[in-house]
Amino acid sequence: MAVSPVSLKLVTQPTAEPINIYDCADRLRIDVGDDSRMISALIKGARQYVEQRTGQRIVRQKWRLYFNAFADELKLSPPYVREVQQIQYLDANGATQTLSSGYYTTDIAGQVVRLAYGQNWPGTRDDYNAVWVDVWAGMYDETASPIDQLSSIPEDIKQAIVLQVSIMHGALSPQEQEAAERARDLLLHSYWMPAA
């Protein structure tokens, strides 16, 4: 039986945003000037909004997924997990152990971790969060393209982030804001993933 994580924790923040401040300012026709820090903060907030709205992680980030025990399958979440870095657990004595990768297989397409053929999960302490899985998640992996780190992010995601920045910036009329919100939601519609 497959089980979902009981809790999640962001371990490593993204090292880059999906759009830089100059591209964003150019698309919005605003002058960066002394507002570069504010625009950077708005881009981060807009990216987080898009991630929350779609249920996906846009840029590469490390998450820790907690489970109370091992199961036939451990569901990977948030969506678009790219890599399982390691699995650790509390043994019966409460000591932290790192599981050898030979014990499990990772199904990135199915977004699960399964027990490898002929293996048995080790015993764990009967405690909350006794098993944790460190994963790298994101639609885009900045290590994949050293020439252009942002090229693989879909343009409609970038445009939705720009629209969210314009909404958060607060310079739109009520009618413009309503139109921006509708356009943003249309751009994000195909990326929406229901909670597992």
Side-chain angles (χ1 to χ4, degrees), residues 17-18 41-58 157 160-165 167-168 177 180-186 188 192:
E17 292 299 334
L42 289 174
I43 291 169
K44 180 178 179 180
R47 188 251 312 152
Q48 290 172 333
Y49 174 87
V50 167
E51 289 177 339
Q52 180 184 23
R53 188 71 184 247
T54 62
Q56 297 194 47
R57 301 302 176 251
I58 307 303
I157 291 285
I161 289 170
V162 170
L163 286 168
Q164 183 61 25
V165 167
I167 293 164
M168 294 166 61
Q177 179 167 330
E181 289 170 351
R182 275 198 313 270
R184 174 205 62 205
D185 292 346
L186 283 171
L188 295 177
W192 180 78

Side-chain angles (χ1 to χ4, degrees), residues 89-95 97 123-126:
Y89 64 98
L90 291 178
D91 67 16
N93 297 319
Q97 303 292 335
T124 62
R125 188 179 189 118
D126 187 19

